Amino acid sequence: MKNTILAFLLVITTVRADEGMWLPQLINALNYADMKKNGFKLSAEQIYSINKSSMKDAVVQFGGGCTAELISGEGLILTNHHCGFSSIAALSSVANDYLKYGYWAMNRGEELRCENLTVMFINRIEDVTSRVTGSLKPAFSELQRDSAIKAIIKVIENEAKKDGYDAFIRPFFYGNEYYLFVTETFKDIRLVGAPPESIGKFGDETDNWVWPRHNADFSMFRIYADKNNKPADYSKDNVPYKPRYFFPISLKGYEKGDFTMVYGFPGRTTEYLSSNAVDLIMNQQDPVRVRLRGKRLAILEEDMKKNDTIRLMYTSRYAGIANYYKKWDGEMKGLRKFDAVNKKKAFEQGLLELLKNDPAKTAKCNTLLNAFKKNYAEYAPLSKQYDYYTECLMGIDGLRHAAGYTNIFAELKKKQAGKENKFDKLLEDMKKVVPFKNMNPPTDKKLCEAMLSVYVTDIEKENRPAYLDSLLGAYGNDTRRLAEFLYSNSNFNDNRKAKAMLADFEKSAVLYERDPFYQLALSVNKYYQTAILPQLQYLDLQINDLQKEYVQLLRETYKTKKFYPDANSTLRVAYGKVEDYKPRDGVSYGYYTTIDGLVDKNATGVEDYYVKPRLLELYSQSDFGPYVDKKGKLRIAFIASNHTTGGNSGSPVLNAKGELIGTNFDRNWEGTMSDIMYNVNQCRNIVLDVRFTLWIVDKYAGAGHLLKEMKLIK
Ligand code: ARG
Ligand code: GLU
């Protein structure tokens, strides 16, 4: 044990710079010296400044969940193809399938309006910790504290919301600090261009989360503003937005060891968990979720292979389920290989060792560690139950759809009681959409049978919703027959029946309400929302309070270590190096890929590696223009040791001079554990080389006119 502790103390004092997602306004105070030592050539003020234009003015949150960067003085932005996917899909039809064939606006007039797409700029960030926590009294109960914090946050946010700016406050370090973000959101965003899916999604599920990679995961949009350069609803009179800053693009490339940074909006990480929490994730949550999703995916895949109609119905959902299935699987395996639980335990021992001459702090640390243990022991069974609700029962479309009718029945009851209600409007709206457009009843019946069958084996009788348990009992746990019964006696899983039902809904509602699928949905939702969810939320709050004290203790104890707050969808800077890795014993991966590899993958004939003949033609002509590296190779992607997570997709990846060298789009499978524990030997972000992006725009798409508005560094 002694040795492990010593080893750990060494680790914590010598952590490499690569780990961390830093707040841009604190770079000067915390990271600048280190960044310079690692090669960064600009000033901290060029990263973030309130008064002058800086890089932060060229980074936007895209569509709420991704990042994009400004690459011209005329509002042109670059993000991932998978980030623009839903907007491109919404603009597509069978006649104009922009997913399949790609799209390029050859002039401004051809740029396509994307409804509901917004981008958000950060105008400034302010530390409001003392205002938020200053008036809290020690005597406050947890609840009083919570509501006092909420109230003051509202006040501060409202003060900041003026001159067209919006504002929000987020807690950092579990509520030890609070920051205010003043933002500006643009609502007129237009599609400029996207490559065909065969390029943007090349490798699809086969390559997702995997290095080496060969897809050009990018798309381009333009921000439009009113005449005063301010956000405005769509109007044909709007003009391209003039940004305060945009990134110059380097055609000079990078080599192994070069400094690189990522500027974007990482979503969520949890790096300061206790050993019990990591144990729960690694040994329960990840395995349960992976197993349940694996079963669903196998059934979907089998049916999607049968014909194109079914394939199209499920393709987008399949991708969604598969994405985190694969991520959790990689995370679980990475954590196990890293011996994560024991590393956390050793860390906790090391902490106690450091505190041993301070009885008060030792006592506090022990109290916290014991409380974690107790809370997680209570949390684990509830979390399992909740996962079986969301990933198993709600994986049955029929059940989810039936649950969606709760509201209309409730509104009808109000109408019948002569109360104010929204029934007529709701019914009208429901009649407009094809209820089960993306569901094939026979496929869903199979899912139903399979999900109920794992449920019955894994969830004890006393932990089941009453009606579900009685149905299972009535069918002697024969889930095939039960699924048969549900599907042949319900109106909630078939378009034809649902249409007829909506046509005379008001008259026959009493009958429809008795529908077994609907009754099942009611019983399931009621059970989880009353017996499980409130307890889980309560424990979440408790654990959050413990984490708050624990992180504070860590920061007081490891005084010389720099701490970064967990990701929470706010603007962050990560920096590291262009760097290769060894995924396992005896195997090394290079740090970049080229178009040769794409062509090799294509030659395997695997469906995910299909490309259109045009790409192969350009390849055979070696028409690579100025986009090649020093050896004349056209690179596609590279990896680096920047600490990133979901939400960083589309983020600008910059060199030491702040020039754009690529767009972030994924992480390596062996490194997906970085959301919980970052391991510099295994964790890499995956970046699309901007030279490949430009090659596609220029040579493949013939949209070279766009390059004229960019600032290219040759
Ligand atoms: N793994 C990447 C991310 O987490 C890409 C996801 C989209 N691609 C896909 N094949 N599902 O968002
Ligand atoms: N593809 C992810 C995203 O959409 C980025 C990958 C990651 O989780 O790092 O944000």
Side-chain angles (χ1 to χ4, degrees), residues 82 209 644-649 665-667:
H82 79 261
W209 296 111
T644 55
T645 189
N648 268 125
S649 274
F665 71 95
D666 212 357
R667 261 179 297 164

Side-chain angles (χ1 to χ4, degrees), residues 695-714:
W695 181 73
I696 292 283
V697 174
D698 184 4
K699 301 282 180 176
Y700 184 92
H705 61 279
L706 290 169
L707 273 61
K708 296 205 181 84
E709 53 179 296
M710 301 174 193
K711 189 168 156 194
L712 303 180
I713 313 280
K714 294 186 180 145

Side-chain angles (χ1 to χ4, degrees), residues 65-67 80 82-83 208-209 217 323-324 327 644-650 664-667 672 674-675 684-685:
C66 278
T67 306
N80 289 152
H82 79 261
C83 294
N208 194 21
W209 296 111
D217 195 344
N323 194 30
Y324 263 63
K327 194 251 174 185
T644 55
T645 189
N648 268 125
S649 274
N664 193 73
F665 71 95
D666 212 357
R667 261 179 297 164
T672 50
S674 68
D675 289 347
R684 297 289 175 268
N685 61 318

Side-chain angles (χ1 to χ4, degrees), residues 656-668:
K657 293 185 200 152
E659 299 155 352
L660 191 76
I661 52 172
T663 313
N664 193 73
F665 71 95
D666 212 357
R667 261 179 297 164
N668 64 329

